[in-house]
Amino acid sequence: MKFFIDTANLDQIKEAQDMGILDGVTTNPSLMAKEGITGKDNILKHYLDICEAVEGDVSAEVIAVDFEGMVKEGEELAALHPQIVVKVPMIREGVKAIRYFSSKNIKTNCTLVFSSGQALLAAKAGATYVSPFIGRLDDIGFDGMELIEEIRLIYDNYAFETEILAASVRHTRHLIACAQLGADVMTGPLSAISGLLNHPLTDKGLAQFLADHKKGN
Ligand code: E4P
């Protein structure tokens, strides 16, 4: 399973990279705005900074919602750095754009996916990644994990190569459930990844080992 961090914050990206387990980064317009990154030049420069801080794929989202606009923006983003993956929303024009990018060997991440039918369309169009938003489904009383399970079944039935990128992961239990269900990738906050480290028996056991070592020396 690949671990992506879902942030545009360079310090957090560097911290995750430093752990040695990071496989990539996802961003979205809200995350870029949260870091105060505005204006085209600053946004492109920030994507470059992220690519330099991490080894692996970096999703950069198009703002246009028409086919021509998405193609123009996506080609510009893809030309920026080989690690860039063009993030495209799951709308009719987005599906067309994903098909176009796929024919040009430009990697894509189909975002804002909330149903298995949408995920099927993304795979048919040749998306590199599909991003089902599990946390946002949970927020409105649906079961995000059921969606991961459905997509896994459909993709396996037809051997689709599109990778399931479980997005909107909010905490460590989400991450573990995604791993159990066979999501190829997860993206979430650093806290969801760091939470995997924690177990009271590890802390207790280590304290005991160190104390016993001290006694014997
Ligand atoms: C995915 O690519 C999105 O950026 C993200 O996971 C959305 O998460 P949120 O629902 O916590 O905003």
Side-chain angles (χ1 to χ4, degrees), residues 11-25:
D11 290 337
Q12 286 190 22
I13 290 168
K14 285 174 189 161
E15 193 180 332
Q17 175 68 29
D18 197 48
M19 277 178 82
I21 46 73
L22 193 65
D23 301 296
V25 175

Side-chain angles (χ1 to χ4, degrees), residues 7-15 35 46 49-50 53:
T7 183
N9 182 287
L10 282 174
D11 290 337
Q12 286 190 22
I13 290 168
K14 285 174 189 161
E15 193 180 332
E35 296 307 315
H46 199 69
D49 290 343
I50 294 175

Side-chain angles (χ1 to χ4, degrees), residues 171-192:
H171 48 71
T172 305
R173 278 308 311 172
H174 267 158
L175 196 170
I176 292 168
C178 287
Q180 286 170 335
L181 293 172
D184 301 288
V185 193
M186 64 68 57
T187 192
L190 181 57
S191 58

